[in-house]
């Protein structure tokens, strides 16, 4: 990944979405030639010169200070995920001494036995562990039952590849468009954190080549945090499932996250999970 072009396109797209009214600036005249703010308006809001901001927006983040990055984040009204992404891009442009030693350690290729035991002990909670590329590295029995179309598609299952390349995905994910947009944003954020991950670059290249939808959303440079929320699934056996999820970092295994799902007590979703759990218990060796 070219961090200069990444930084350029990220700042340009963030500037384009902020109107003068949203930034609290007067909109002089009705014929603005740019979408969103002008460069000089962002520079004024951030307290830097127009020349300096222009240099930054051209992708040259070399030597930029944290205080300037914070000022840019405020001027462009970045959310937590976008702010973190901006700082990640700046770190790539300012490696400094010992950068090779500080380069992000690759996430484990498999989960530890203790993590798998925890997953297996969550008999009534579908759960799996994924990495930043959205490869699902491990799951419990109920997780495999709930996400059966994903696990039947490939080895190892990859959420992004399933979403954009498998025709079963739009039927399985009721809110497919929202899910797909979130997935692209997760991969964009991961690319900012770890631009040296060759497998990630290969995945993005594959999806960009084979999916026009992915290619269009990738160009939007959106990033997002994915920590909690709700997913609606249309399961091939038990029908619609509405599940709340929590996504938790495995602190001993940087780069891995545990996703766990639950249904509202007394709901049809809870009944469906109980049914699937009973089947998996019978089928388990």
């Amino acid at each position: 990944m070219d961090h200069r072009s990444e930084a350029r396109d990220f700042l340009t797209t963030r500037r384009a979405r902020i109107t003068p009214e949203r930034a609290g600036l007067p909109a002089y005249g009705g014929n603005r030639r740019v979408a969103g703010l002008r460069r000089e308006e962002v520079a004024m809001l951030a307290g830097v010169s127009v020349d300096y901001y222009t240099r930054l927006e051209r992708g040259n983040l070399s030597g930029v200070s944290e205080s300037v990055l914070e000022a840019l984040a405020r001027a462009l009204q970045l959310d937590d995920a976008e702010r973190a992404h901006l700082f990640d891009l700046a770190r790539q442009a300012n490696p400094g001494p010992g950068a090779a030693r500080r380069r992000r350690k690759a996430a484990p290729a498999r989960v530890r036995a203790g993590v798998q035991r925890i997953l297996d002990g969550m008999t009534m909670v579908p759960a799996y562990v994924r990495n930043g590329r959205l490869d699902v590295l491990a799951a419990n029995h109920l997780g495999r039952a709930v996400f059966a179309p994903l696990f039947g598609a490939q080895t190892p299952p990859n959420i992004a590849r399933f979403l954009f390349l498998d025709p079963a995905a739009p039927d399985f994910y009721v809110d497919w468009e929202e899910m797909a947009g979130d997935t692209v944003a997760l991969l964009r954020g991961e690319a900012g954190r770890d631009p040296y991950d060759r497998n990630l670059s290969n995945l993005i290249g594959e999806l960009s080549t084979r999916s026009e939808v992915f290619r269009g959303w990738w160009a939007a440079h959106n990033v997002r945090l994915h920590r909690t929320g709700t997913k609606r699934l249309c399961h091939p056996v038990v029908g619609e499932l509405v599940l709340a999820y929590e996504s938790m970092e495995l602190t001993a295994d940087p780069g891995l996250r545990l996703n766990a799902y639950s249904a509202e007590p007394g709901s049809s979703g809870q009944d469906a999970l109980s049914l699937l759990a009973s089947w998996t218990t019978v089928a388990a060796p």
Side-chain angles (χ1 to χ4, degrees):
M1 308 292 284
D2 179 357
H3 70 79
R4 288 182 70 103
S5 63
E6 289 291 304
R8 180 195 66 219
D9 293 342
F10 179 68
L11 289 174
T12 300
T13 55
R14 298 314 92 176
R15 175 168 62 87
R17 69 178 187 172
I18 305 293
T19 63
E21 293 81 7
R22 182 174 166 185
L25 297 175
Y28 297 113
N31 296 318
R32 294 177 64 90
R33 292 184 297 173
V34 297
L37 296 178
R38 299 186 178 101
R39 285 177 174 172
E40 55 265 29
E41 291 170 328
V42 176
M44 179 187 69
L45 290 169
V48 298
S49 71
V50 177
D51 286 344
Y52 186 58
Y53 176 72
T54 299
R55 193 199 87 179
L56 297 177
E57 196 179 275
R58 286 174 177 166
N60 185 359
L61 299 182
S62 177
V64 65
S65 67
E66 287 194 9
S67 61
V68 169
L69 292 174
E70 292 287 6
L72 280 180
R74 289 192 298 271
L76 295 171
Q77 300 182 22
L78 304 185
D79 62 22
D80 289 345
E82 292 167 328
R83 178 189 172 279
H85 188 60
L86 177 61
F87 273 76
D88 286 334
L89 294 175
R91 273 190 287 272
Q92 302 307 324
N94 298 278
R101 293 192 301 273
R102 294 197 305 273
R103 183 175 294 178
R104 187 183 181 194
K105 183 180 178 182
R110 56 178 59 88
V111 303
R112 292 177 290 111
V115 175
Q116 185 65 60
R117 286 194 296 271
I118 291 172
L119 286 172
D120 293 338
M122 302 165 69
T123 56
M124 290 302 299
V125 176
Y128 58 77
V129 173
R130 66 163 178 84
N131 60 21
R133 293 189 302 272
L134 306 183
D135 296 322
V136 178
L137 303 181
N140 59 15
H141 290 302
L142 188 53
R144 290 180 176 275
V146 168
F147 294 94
L150 168 66
F151 282 91
Q154 56 203 305
T155 303
N158 179 273
I159 297 169
R161 192 176 281 115
F162 173 69
L163 268 168
F164 288 98
L165 303 183
D166 195 311
D171 293 329
F172 181 61
Y173 289 108
V174 176
D175 303 308
W176 179 87
E177 187 168 346
E178 178 183 347
M179 173 74 175
D182 288 345
T183 297
V184 176
L186 285 173
L187 290 178
R188 175 62 77 178
E190 182 67 12
R193 286 186 293 273
D194 194 0
Y196 304 105
D197 185 337
R198 184 174 296 277
N199 289 327
L200 174 61
S201 296
N202 290 342
L203 173 65
I204 293 167
E206 176 189 359
L207 296 176
S208 297
T209 301
R210 299 179 61 187
S211 171
E212 183 178 353
V213 175
F214 179 89
R215 189 162 59 248
W217 279 342
W218 184 254
H221 285 262
N222 292 328
V223 292
R224 201 161 298 161
L225 297 175
H226 208 54
R227 295 169 176 166
T228 186
T230 301
K231 280 191 171 55
R232 293 196 301 155
L233 312 175
C234 184
H235 193 275
V237 176
V238 297
E240 185 165 325
L241 283 168
V242 179
L243 302 175
Y245 70 86
E246 300 292 331
S247 182
M248 298 156 277
E249 183 181 359
L250 297 180
T251 54
D253 300 306
L256 300 188
R257 300 188 73 86
L258 188 153
N259 281 23
Y261 298 79
S262 65
E264 188 73 23
S267 67
S268 60
Q270 183 63 59
D271 293 339
L273 286 184
S274 298
L275 181 60
L276 288 173
S278 68
W279 290 347
T280 58
T281 299
V282 171

